[in-house]
PDB file of all heavy atoms in Angstrom:
ATOM      1  N   GLU N 248      14.591  -0.228   4.013  1.00  0.00           N
ATOM      2  CA  GLU N 248      15.304  -1.431   4.428  1.00  0.00           C
ATOM      3  C   GLU N 248      16.223  -1.105   5.602  1.00  0.00           C
ATOM      4  O   GLU N 248      16.802  -0.032   5.660  1.00  0.00           O
ATOM      5  CB  GLU N 248      16.132  -2.008   3.276  1.00  0.00           C
ATOM      6  CG  GLU N 248      15.311  -2.467   2.095  1.00  0.00           C
ATOM      7  CD  GLU N 248      16.165  -3.067   0.994  1.00  0.00           C
ATOM      8  OE1 GLU N 248      17.393  -2.996   1.100  1.00  0.00           O
ATOM      9  OE2 GLU N 248      15.594  -3.592   0.022  1.00  0.00           O
ATOM     10  N   MET N 249      16.344  -2.086   6.493  1.00  0.00           N
ATOM     11  CA  MET N 249      17.284  -1.986   7.608  1.00  0.00           C
ATOM     12  C   MET N 249      17.903  -3.372   7.803  1.00  0.00           C
ATOM     13  O   MET N 249      17.274  -4.385   7.504  1.00  0.00           O
ATOM     14  CB  MET N 249      16.572  -1.559   8.898  1.00  0.00           C
ATOM     15  CG  MET N 249      16.034  -0.155   8.883  1.00  0.00           C
ATOM     16  SD  MET N 249      17.330   1.048   9.195  1.00  0.00           S
ATOM     17  CE  MET N 249      17.584   0.803  10.960  1.00  0.00           C
ATOM     18  N   SER N 250      19.126  -3.364   8.330  1.00  0.00           N
ATOM     19  CA  SER N 250      19.746  -4.634   8.675  1.00  0.00           C
ATOM     20  C   SER N 250      20.437  -4.482  10.024  1.00  0.00           C
ATOM     21  O   SER N 250      20.846  -3.385  10.413  1.00  0.00           O
ATOM     22  CB  SER N 250      20.740  -5.079   7.597  1.00  0.00           C
ATOM     23  OG  SER N 250      21.798  -4.150   7.488  1.00  0.00           O
ATOM     24  N   VAL N 251      20.566  -5.607  10.709  1.00  0.00           N
ATOM     25  CA  VAL N 251      21.186  -5.606  12.039  1.00  0.00           C
ATOM     26  C   VAL N 251      21.842  -6.951  12.274  1.00  0.00           C
ATOM     27  O   VAL N 251      21.410  -7.979  11.723  1.00  0.00           O
ATOM     28  CB  VAL N 251      20.114  -5.321  13.116  1.00  0.00           C
ATOM     29  CG1 VAL N 251      19.067  -6.414  13.170  1.00  0.00           C
ATOM     30  CG2 VAL N 251      20.755  -5.100  14.485  1.00  0.00           C
ATOM     31  N   GLN N 252      22.894  -6.939  13.056  1.00  0.00           N
ATOM     32  CA  GLN N 252      23.543  -8.185  13.444  1.00  0.00           C
ATOM     33  C   GLN N 252      22.707  -8.888  14.503  1.00  0.00           C
ATOM     34  O   GLN N 252      22.104  -8.238  15.372  1.00  0.00           O
ATOM     35  CB  GLN N 252      24.938  -7.926  14.011  1.00  0.00           C
ATOM     36  CG  GLN N 252      25.981  -7.467  12.993  1.00  0.00           C
ATOM     37  CD  GLN N 252      26.252  -8.523  11.950  1.00  0.00           C
ATOM     38  OE1 GLN N 252      26.119  -8.292  10.748  1.00  0.00           O
ATOM     39  NE2 GLN N 252      26.640  -9.712  12.407  1.00  0.00           N
ATOM     40  N   GLU N 253      22.680 -10.185  14.404  1.00  0.00           N
ATOM     41  CA  GLU N 253      21.989 -10.992  15.402  1.00  0.00           C
ATOM     42  C   GLU N 253      22.474 -10.600  16.794  1.00  0.00           C
ATOM     43  O   GLU N 253      23.670 -10.370  17.013  1.00  0.00           O
ATOM     44  CB  GLU N 253      22.258 -12.475  15.132  1.00  0.00           C
ATOM     45  CG  GLU N 253      21.392 -13.430  15.916  1.00  0.00           C
ATOM     46  CD  GLU N 253      21.659 -14.877  15.528  1.00  0.00           C
ATOM     47  OE1 GLU N 253      22.559 -15.120  14.694  1.00  0.00           O
ATOM     48  OE2 GLU N 253      20.975 -15.768  16.057  1.00  0.00           O
ATOM     49  N   ALA N 254      21.518 -10.484  17.714  1.00  0.00           N
ATOM     50  CA  ALA N 254      21.763 -10.142  19.121  1.00  0.00           C
ATOM     51  C   ALA N 254      21.940  -8.632  19.357  1.00  0.00           C
ATOM     52  O   ALA N 254      21.995  -8.198  20.512  1.00  0.00           O
ATOM     53  CB  ALA N 254      22.952 -10.880  19.719  1.00  0.00           C
ATOM     54  N   GLU N 255      22.007  -7.847  18.294  1.00  0.00           N
ATOM     55  CA  GLU N 255      22.128  -6.407  18.457  1.00  0.00           C
ATOM     56  C   GLU N 255      20.740  -5.779  18.529  1.00  0.00           C
ATOM     57  O   GLU N 255      19.702  -6.445  18.404  1.00  0.00           O
ATOM     58  CB  GLU N 255      22.927  -5.810  17.287  1.00  0.00           C
ATOM     59  CG  GLU N 255      24.360  -6.302  17.205  1.00  0.00           C
ATOM     60  CD  GLU N 255      25.187  -5.828  18.393  1.00  0.00           C
ATOM     61  OE1 GLU N 255      25.140  -4.621  18.705  1.00  0.00           O
ATOM     62  OE2 GLU N 255      25.871  -6.668  19.018  1.00  0.00           O
ATOM     63  N   THR N 256      20.730  -4.452  18.705  1.00  0.00           N
ATOM     64  CA  THR N 256      19.491  -3.695  18.812  1.00  0.00           C
ATOM     65  C   THR N 256      19.285  -2.848  17.563  1.00  0.00           C
ATOM     66  O   THR N 256      20.245  -2.300  17.009  1.00  0.00           O
ATOM     67  CB  THR N 256      19.536  -2.778  20.055  1.00  0.00           C
ATOM     68  OG1 THR N 256      19.601  -3.593  21.231  1.00  0.00           O
ATOM     69  CG2 THR N 256      18.299  -1.890  20.127  1.00  0.00           C
ATOM     70  N   VAL N 257      18.042  -2.758  17.125  1.00  0.00           N
ATOM     71  CA  VAL N 257      17.723  -1.954  15.940  1.00  0.00           C
ATOM     72  C   VAL N 257      16.468  -1.140  16.228  1.00  0.00           C
ATOM     73  O   VAL N 257      15.590  -1.579  16.980  1.00  0.00           O
ATOM     74  CB  VAL N 257      17.519  -2.853  14.706  1.00  0.00           C
ATOM     75  CG1 VAL N 257      16.326  -3.786  14.878  1.00  0.00           C
ATOM     76  CG2 VAL N 257      17.378  -2.034  13.430  1.00  0.00           C
ATOM     77  N   THR N 258      16.414   0.047  15.639  1.00  0.00           N
ATOM     78  CA  THR N 258      15.253   0.921  15.796  1.00  0.00           C
ATOM     79  C   THR N 258      14.664   1.265  14.439  1.00  0.00           C
ATOM     80  O   THR N 258      15.383   1.726  13.543  1.00  0.00           O
ATOM     81  CB  THR N 258      15.643   2.220  16.534  1.00  0.00           C
ATOM     82  OG1 THR N 258      16.121   1.885  17.846  1.00  0.00           O
ATOM     83  CG2 THR N 258      14.433   3.132  16.673  1.00  0.00           C
ATOM     84  N   LEU N 259      13.373   1.027  14.295  1.00  0.00           N
ATOM     85  CA  LEU N 259      12.658   1.352  13.069  1.00  0.00           C
ATOM     86  C   LEU N 259      11.844   2.615  13.303  1.00  0.00           C
ATOM     87  O   LEU N 259      11.160   2.746  14.319  1.00  0.00           O
ATOM     88  CB  LEU N 259      11.731   0.200  12.665  1.00  0.00           C
ATOM     89  CG  LEU N 259      12.356  -1.197  12.578  1.00  0.00           C
ATOM     90  CD1 LEU N 259      11.334  -2.200  12.081  1.00  0.00           C
ATOM     91  CD2 LEU N 259      13.593  -1.195  11.714  1.00  0.00           C
TER      92      LEU N 259
END
Side-chain angles (χ1 to χ4, degrees):
Chain N
E248 297 182 353
M249 293 281 286
S250 63
V251 64
Q252 290 296 124
E253 192 176 3
E255 297 294 311
T256 296
V257 63
T258 298
L259 308 184

